[in-house]
Amino acid sequence: MDVASILIVIGFVVIVLIVLILLVAGIRLLKEDRTQRQHPVLRNYPVLGRVRYFLEKVGPELRQYLFNNDREGKPFSRNEYAHIVKKAKYKRDVMGFGSQRDFEEAGYYVRNSMFPKLTEELKIDRDVKQTTGRYLLIKDPLFTQRKEEWEQDESPAYLLDEEDTIVIGKDCRYPFKVRGQIGMSAMSYGSLGDRAITALSEGLGIAKGTWMNTGEGGLSDYHLKGGCDLIMQIGPGMFGVRDREGNFNWDELLEKSKIPQLKAFEVKLAQGAKTRGGHVDGEKVNEEIARIRMVEPYESIDSPNRFPEFDDIPSLFEFIGKIREHTGKPIGMKIVVGSHFEAEELAKNIKELDTGPDFITIDGSEGGTGASYQELADSVGLPIRSALPLVDYELKKYGVRDKVKIFASGKLFSPDRVAIALSMGADLVNIARGFMITVGCIQTLKCHSNACPVGVATTDPDLQKALVVDEKKYRTANYLITMRKGLFRIGAAAGLESPIHFSKENIVYKDDKGKTWALDDIYESMVQHDGKGSANA
């Protein structure tokens, strides 16, 4: 028998074996599907019905990559995601042909000036320059990997002029001075893995002039690695500043406050996407995270809805004042605004008690989370563009706005969104998911599962191997520097020498009929008082 005949016989045998294997597998699945009691589809359509569940499982990926248009995806559309990636990877934010925004829809717009500021007229610190790494796109063919070159790039850090330094807690023993208006929102070690936290810390340290909020999971060595300024968040679980029984540990707080990088503390009352205590699944709670948080390893963590130490604004302010006195550092509070009433009560108490936080972080309900519940994330609390003006309005009405700095957060991932937030009353802006994208997040929506495929929102050491800190840290720095550059650019278009001067006069609202409204008009329509101080609208 010649070689050709032998190959034919072998091929025939292989085909027969494959057919037999498929037949046996099919009969087994047929029997299994017919007899199972859970899925009616499989009982009536055995084997074939499994195609339904397969398509259902890959549905999010099919929509993300094939069926959603560039502006449809949630929480971030393909366009929004791509703009973040381009800033981080290429340190560029240029687009071609025209905007894809739907200008028929209602929305906010920045008022441009007939006489914008020239670059040389802007109040930028021109001395501080930063060297980062970025990719230079050489070729982007359809069927093969794009060709890119890695290069070092030096550029201004786009910090505020020293005269425009923002001082938080000016009456504290150790005020917090900030030279940039954009920083990282609260993200805990545990919610994110050690490589992600390290890359973010080092990237923010390269960019300078910013801060990193530790999240409520406590202060880790990974937060400290990059040398950037830190705000330590204290949630109702009091992780990192508690004893084994869960009581507040004032001695531990004092020890933390002695760390030079730690510039301020933040008491978390609520978070936009989860107006309740935080949650971390047990598989994420490794021994190191358990040690930092002072909890049991590999057990799910649910922090309470609120602190046991206080249950009204006066007792909250007393707690805040005690932390400020104990540490000498600024202390803020993170809130989600539900209505005008909470904003007014807060401002009224600051006025009457002559005390309160050094800063207020207002988190919009569109903000993100590592783990929450649909009913809370979708329907509890106001989005940032409704909440922020309410707080700013009430603080000004009671004459205490100059005592408090306002941080805003809630999908403020682009310079125009930041500019609108600053115009609505924010002094500073927090970003979380934008920074997650810089270190590799691809929006698989699996943050709660410890199965993040790119090693960002996971503590699994095998999955974390995907994240290369020495590359991603530069993407974080690039994104922040490019964001600050864009903020100066949009400020110049509005006729401002610095983005610290954004105010409500710099934005207008256009409704779906084309009518425009000044922000003062919006304020009045949002908050109308009768003689007793109640809200009519």
Side-chain angles (χ1 to χ4, degrees):
M1 185 179 291
D2 58 19
V3 174
S5 299
I6 294 172
L7 291 175
I8 290 172
V9 172
I10 292 173
F12 178 76
V13 172
V14 169
I15 291 172
V16 170
L17 286 174
I18 291 173
V19 171
L20 287 173
I21 291 170
L22 291 175
L23 186 61
V24 170
I27 293 172
R28 181 178 176 182
L29 289 175
L30 182 70
K31 182 179 179 181
E32 182 180 315
D33 291 348
R34 284 287 193 194
T35 57
Q36 59 83 35
R37 302 164 65 95
Q38 185 178 3
H39 303 292
V41 170
L42 293 183
R43 286 176 67 84
N44 283 342
Y45 304 97
V47 184
L48 183 63
R50 290 176 178 265
V51 176
R52 175 189 185 275
Y53 296 105
F54 170 77
L55 292 175
E56 186 177 64
K57 191 163 186 67
V58 300
E61 286 79 10
L62 291 176
R63 287 188 290 275
Q64 181 178 1
Y65 295 112
L66 296 178
F67 301 122
N68 279 344
N69 70 38
D70 288 345
R71 300 180 64 247
E72 277 183 335
K74 300 292 183 183
F76 291 83
S77 70
R78 187 181 292 116
N79 266 355
E80 292 166 343
Y81 178 87
H83 288 320
I84 296 170
V85 171
K86 287 175 182 176
K87 287 180 176 69
K89 188 173 182 181
Y90 303 110
K91 210 173 181 179
R92 284 175 61 83
D93 49 3
V94 178
M95 56 171 284
F97 198 65
S99 172
Q100 293 189 38
R101 178 175 182 171
D102 186 348
F103 291 97
E104 301 301 317
E105 290 183 351
Y108 288 95
Y109 292 83
V110 177
R111 287 181 57 188
N112 62 297
S113 171
M114 291 180 64
F115 305 100
K117 294 294 183 183
L118 299 171
T119 301
E120 55 268 27
E121 294 178 302
L122 298 177
K123 286 186 68 177
I124 302 173
D125 187 326
R126 302 179 190 278
D127 297 325
V128 179
K129 292 182 168 55
Q130 294 305 114
T131 300
T132 66
R134 68 172 184 178
Y135 288 94
L136 185 64
L137 182 61
I138 306 299
K139 189 184 296 184
D140 193 9
L142 182 59
F143 294 108
T144 58
Q145 195 79 354
R146 66 172 64 97
K147 184 179 179 182
E148 298 170 326
E149 289 184 1
W150 177 260
E151 66 174 13
Q152 284 194 331
D153 179 76
E154 183 182 78
S155 70
Y158 292 97
L159 299 177
L160 297 172
D161 187 82
E162 195 165 352
E163 290 183 2
D164 295 330
T165 298
I166 297 171
V167 182
I168 303 168
K170 60 183 179 180
D171 296 327
C172 294
R173 296 197 298 276
Y174 309 105
F176 180 21
K177 299 179 180 180
V178 181
R179 299 280 301 283
Q181 291 171 284
I182 303 169
M184 194 190 95
S185 192
M187 290 195 282
S188 302
Y189 171 49
S191 179
L192 302 189
D194 57 88
R195 290 198 181 192
I197 294 292
T198 299
L200 290 166
S201 175
E202 293 188 3
L204 295 172
I206 291 169
K208 297 194 181 301
T210 186
W211 63 92
M212 182 181 203
N213 192 307
T214 66
E216 63 179 310
L219 178 64
S220 72
D221 291 340
Y222 309 109
H223 289 106
L224 293 163
K225 275 194 173 181
C228 65
D229 290 339
L230 298 173
I231 298 174
M232 183 177 177
Q233 188 179 85
I234 304 171
M238 297 177 287
F239 304 122
V241 287
R242 67 184 230 158
D243 58 25
R244 284 289 177 184
E245 287 70 44
N247 301 308
F248 198 87
N249 189 329
W250 291 95
D251 292 334
E252 188 62 37
L253 175 73
L254 185 60
E255 286 303 307
K256 292 286 197 305
S257 72
K258 293 176 182 178
I259 299 172
Q261 277 178 250
L262 209 164
K263 302 296 185 181
F265 293 90
E266 178 183 81
V267 175
K268 174 189 169 183
L269 303 189
Q271 178 182 327
K274 53 180 183 189
T275 50
R276 61 176 292 278
H279 173 83
V280 180
D281 281 345
E283 55 262 38
K284 280 191 171 185
V285 187
N286 60 32
E287 291 183 2
E288 183 179 24
I289 290 168
R291 175 181 56 80
I292 292 169
R293 298 192 179 202
M294 301 190 74
V295 296
E296 293 299 318
Y298 304 107
E299 291 186 8
S300 294
I301 304 172
D302 282 288
S303 54
N305 273 9
R306 68 168 179 83
F307 287 79
E309 279 75 12
F310 50 83
D311 57 7
D312 58 16
I313 289 181
S315 57
L316 163 64
F317 284 3
E318 183 180 352
F319 182 69
I320 283 174
K322 190 173 179 181
I323 292 177
R324 183 191 295 113
E325 180 61 31
H326 201 65
T327 65
K329 295 188 174 182
I331 172 72
M333 53 186 283
K334 183 175 185 177
I335 61 171
V336 175
V337 178
S339 74
H340 149 258
F341 297 108
E342 287 86 358
E344 182 173 34
E345 185 181 7
L346 183 62
K348 184 178 179 181
N349 274 273
I350 293 174
K351 175 71 172 179
E352 293 179 352
L353 300 175
D354 194 26
T355 186
D358 298 297
F359 64 92
I360 300 172
T361 300
I362 305 170
D363 199 16
S365 56
E366 67 271 60
T369 178
S372 186
Y373 300 97
Q374 172 270 322
E375 64 272 17
L376 294 176
D378 284 355
S379 300
V380 179
L382 292 173
I384 191 63
R385 289 182 179 177
S386 297
L388 180 54
L390 292 178
V391 177
D392 181 61
Y393 178 92
E394 294 299 337
L395 291 174
K396 287 177 178 176
K397 187 183 80 173
Y398 281 91
V400 294
R401 179 64 181 87
D402 61 332
K403 294 184 176 183
V404 183
K405 298 298 182 188
I406 294 178
F407 288 69
S409 59
K411 292 188 74 173
L412 304 177
F413 55 84
S414 63
D416 55 323
R417 288 171 177 256
V418 173
I420 290 170
L422 296 177
S423 299
M424 286 182 161
D427 299 290
L428 305 126
V429 163
N430 282 328
I431 298 173
R433 286 171 293 181
F435 281 119
M436 285 178 66
I437 291 170
T438 69
V439 294
C441 170
I442 58 172
Q443 284 195 105
T444 58
L445 311 183
K446 294 181 178 179
C447 307
H448 60 291
S449 67
N450 206 35
C452 174
V454 291
V456 177
T458 178
T459 58
D460 186 317
D462 290 328
L463 291 172
Q464 285 198 75
K465 291 176 183 176
L467 200 160
V468 180
V469 172
D470 286 338
E471 193 259 358
K472 298 302 183 190
K473 67 182 182 183
Y474 291 116
R475 296 200 189 198
T476 299
N478 290 342
Y479 173 64
L480 179 55
I481 291 170
T482 308
M483 283 284 289
R484 292 195 297 227
K485 179 181 180 181
L487 190 56
F488 269 102
R489 184 167 51 229
I490 201 169
L496 306 175
E497 63 181 8
S498 171
I500 67 165
H501 298 305
F502 274 112
S503 66
K504 60 181 182 293
E505 287 76 25
N506 294 115
I507 57 173
V508 293
Y509 179 80
K510 182 195 76 67
D511 65 23
D512 56 1
K513 296 179 177 60
K515 183 177 180 180
T516 58
W517 303 76
L519 196 58
D520 275 331
D521 298 328
I522 301 293
Y523 274 35
E524 291 304 318
S525 66
M526 292 173 71
V527 184
Q528 295 179 13
H529 299 283
D530 61 22
K532 297 179 181 179
S534 63
N536 294 323

